[in-house]
Amino acid sequence: MAQTKKRSQSTEQLSVQMQLHYLATPEIAAYVAELKRKYQKFAMPGDDARKIVDASMGETTLTELLHEARNQAA
């Protein structure tokens, strides 16, 4: 468990470092701002998107498929 927590913290720190790097790069910051401007109207909470996908898949849900894929990779 200690390794998992340590790995999680390390991954989180790397993610923050990458975000700071991207924000410090003017080209990337401009690109992200443009994407937000163009596509913000389509944004929705992740839970809502998951429900839409799950409903469209019938009896098999995307969440179930993701769990199966994770179990096969382990």
Side-chain angles (χ1 to χ4, degrees):
M1 176 140 165
Q3 281 184 325
T4 303
K5 187 172 184 178
K6 187 175 183 178
R7 185 179 306 152
S8 177
Q9 289 174 344
S10 176
T11 303
E12 186 175 315
Q13 288 173 348
L14 179 60
S15 176
V16 169
Q17 288 173 351
M18 289 175 63
Q19 288 176 9
L20 291 174
H21 171 73
Y22 292 145
L23 291 174
T25 306
E27 295 84 4
I28 295 175
Y31 179 68
V32 169
E34 177 65 14
L35 289 174
K36 285 182 180 179
R37 186 189 66 72
K38 285 175 79 173
Y39 299 107
Q40 186 66 35
K41 63 184 173 190
F42 301 109
M44 69 174 64
D47 288 340
D48 292 349
R50 181 178 294 117
K51 288 176 186 176
I52 291 169
V53 172
D54 286 347
S56 71
M57 293 180 67
E59 291 187 27
T60 302
T61 64
L62 179 60
T63 303
E64 290 170 342
L65 293 175
L66 291 172
H67 286 296
E68 287 177 20
R70 288 181 187 146
N71 289 337
Q72 290 175 2

